[in-house]
Structure formats: structure tokens, C-alpha cells
Amino acid sequence: MLKQERALHTRHALVRSAAEVFERHGYVRAKLAEISAGAGVSPGALHFHFENKAAVAATVQAVAAENLRRAARTATRRPGLDPLQRLTDASYVLAERLRQDVVARAGSRLSGDEACRTDVDLGAEWRACVHRLLTEASARNLLAGGVSRADATASVVAATTGLEVLGRTDPEWLSPTTLTRVWRVTLPRLARPGALSRLSPGPGA
């Protein structure tokens, strides 16, 4: 049991170190030697857990995806809230996860890197989530007149994805303050007046 616990601890340390290296250098320039050194293990120990750099990157993406999916599920399934509020809340939860979790940040960056493509596409998953919630909002007659689901989805995805990219170099772009500014402008255009009056553009709604 102790041997298994040590192996699990080493694997976790390697994933975190890899995330830090991938975030700092990107996939192509990342070196396995730097990853193993950051985890405090030998290169041999790294290769015991991962066959190559691609395998390390795939694991970082998988861990990031699971963490971000769990966060999104928590926000988007809250009972008693309409879909536009759940969408707003989800953006705050995901932004906070990206701010606080280097694995989430690195996984998101790797997901869009052509050099290390896997089956994980976090951008596509977020687009699907946004589209699903806006489809629900449309079905409940919550969207403003003249606003199509396609236009609304494109606008929300562009704004939130843009913040994620900008946040890679300046975390303030992913702060609640910045997100609130975005939603203060966006929600009045998305929601019909009756629905808007029940929405909060800020976190913790």
C-alpha cells in the first residue's frame, strides 16, 4: 500500500510540474528533464509513469478536463436558477479554477495546441455547454427579441475564450471584476427585460 501511495504521489507531482513547465514554455519547448526536476524525481522515475512527452501532456489535459468539467457541472446544474444565470455562474466558476489551478490552465492551453492534439477539446466542450444553456433559455423565452442562439453562443464563447487567452499572461483578465464588466454589457443584450430583472451579472448569484 505504501508503495502504491508513493507512486501516486510521484505521479501527481509529475503532473503538476509538467503543467508548470507547459504553461511556462508551451508543449514544443517543454523538456522532460525540467519536468522531472520540478517534481523532485529522476528522469527514470518520469519514464516509469509516462512513455514520452506526449503521454505527459495527454495526462495533464485529462486531469484538467475532469477538474473543469466537475466545476462546470456544479454551476450549471444548480436547481432553481434559469439557464442564463447558470451560464453566468459557470463562467465565474471556470475562471476561478483557471486562476487557481495551474493544471487547468496548462490543460486548456494544450487543448488548443496543434502540436499535441488529443481527444480532449475543452474549447468545443465549452461551446457545447454555452449552446445547451442558451437553447434552454430560448425554449423558455428568456432571450431578447432578435437574438439567435447562434449569435448568442458565438458572442459568449468569443468573450469568455478571449478572457482565458488574455489571462495566460495577466490573471486580472480572469478576475470576478473583469467578468462582471463583461456580463454587465452582455446580459442586457441577451435577455429580454423580464428575464434580465432576475439576473445578476456578478459572482455568487
Side-chain angles (χ1 to χ4, degrees), residues 30-105:
K31 304 297 183 185
L32 290 177
E34 187 175 357
I35 293 172
S36 61
V41 301
S42 68
L46 184 151
H47 285 289
F48 174 80
H49 290 275
F50 302 103
E51 181 180 359
N52 50 37
K53 185 166 68 171
V56 180
T59 301
V60 170
Q61 290 183 66
V63 173
E66 180 54 34
N67 290 342
L68 290 168
R69 288 167 186 157
R70 187 183 303 116
R73 285 195 299 268
T74 299
T76 58
R77 294 181 180 177
R78 290 175 61 191
L81 296 180
D82 74 39
L84 291 177
Q85 189 65 68
R86 283 183 277 133
L87 174 58
T88 305
D89 291 353
S91 72
Y92 284 99
V93 171
L94 293 174
E96 182 64 15
R97 174 67 66 176
L98 289 167
R99 277 169 56 88
Q100 299 296 328
D101 184 359
V102 66
V103 177
R105 291 194 303 273

Side-chain angles (χ1 to χ4, degrees), residues 179-192:
L179 268 174
T180 300
R181 288 171 178 159
V182 170
W183 285 117
R184 280 176 180 162
V185 173
T186 304
L187 285 175
R189 184 68 184 92
L190 286 179
R192 64 178 180 81

